[in-house]
Amino acid sequence: GDVDVMRRDVEVSPAPSPKLADRSVSGGILNGKALVLPKPTYPAAARAVRASGAVSISVIIEEGGSVASAEPESGHPLLRTASRIAACRARFTPTLLEGKPVNVIGIIIYNFVP
């Protein structure tokens, strides 16, 4: 009896909605998982004031492996836009969960050295 109930629950729950949040996994730091990870340009204004350090960009990677959204989480304000643009151009291998592609939520970190 118990096994049937559990199996039925597993089949029923993932099916109804293919929304972004429903089929996503947390990937942590994604730098090493990128197929293509373009370097951000070092903005002239940032270079002029010797802005440096790490910039963290929170990204959502869609099922096909391209970046669906990228938002700066931390880092020097003058370096955030360049980092976000670079993150949007990154490409990843599709991540599979139980054989189906899923969205991955994670972080890309860029380290600027003047």
Side-chain angles (χ1 to χ4, degrees):
D2 285 2
V3 176
D4 271 345
V5 171
M6 283 174 68
R7 195 182 305 124
R8 202 173 303 124
D9 286 349
V10 169
E11 285 168 11
V12 170
S13 53
S17 57
K19 285 202 308 276
L20 196 78
D22 290 357
R23 295 210 53 82
S24 63
V25 295
S26 179
I29 307 282
L30 299 172
N31 291 54
K33 299 183 175 132
L35 288 175
V36 180
L37 189 63
K39 287 187 174 170
T41 53
Y42 206 139
R47 198 182 289 275
V49 298
R50 298 183 65 77
S52 63
V55 180
S56 293
I57 306 290
S58 176
V59 293
I60 298 174
I61 299 154
E62 61 186 18
E63 294 171 2
S66 58
V67 176
S69 83
E71 287 301 321
E73 293 287 315
S74 65
H76 196 289
L78 290 175
L79 301 173
R80 290 183 181 203
T81 300
S83 298
R84 190 181 68 75
I85 292 167
C88 287
R89 295 203 310 261
R91 291 287 173 272
F92 296 82
T93 38
T95 297
L96 301 180
L97 184 67
E98 296 164 5
K100 296 188 181 75
V102 292
N103 297 295
V104 178
I105 298 165
I107 300 281
I108 298 175
I109 297 175
Y110 296 103
N111 200 25
F112 289 80
V113 181

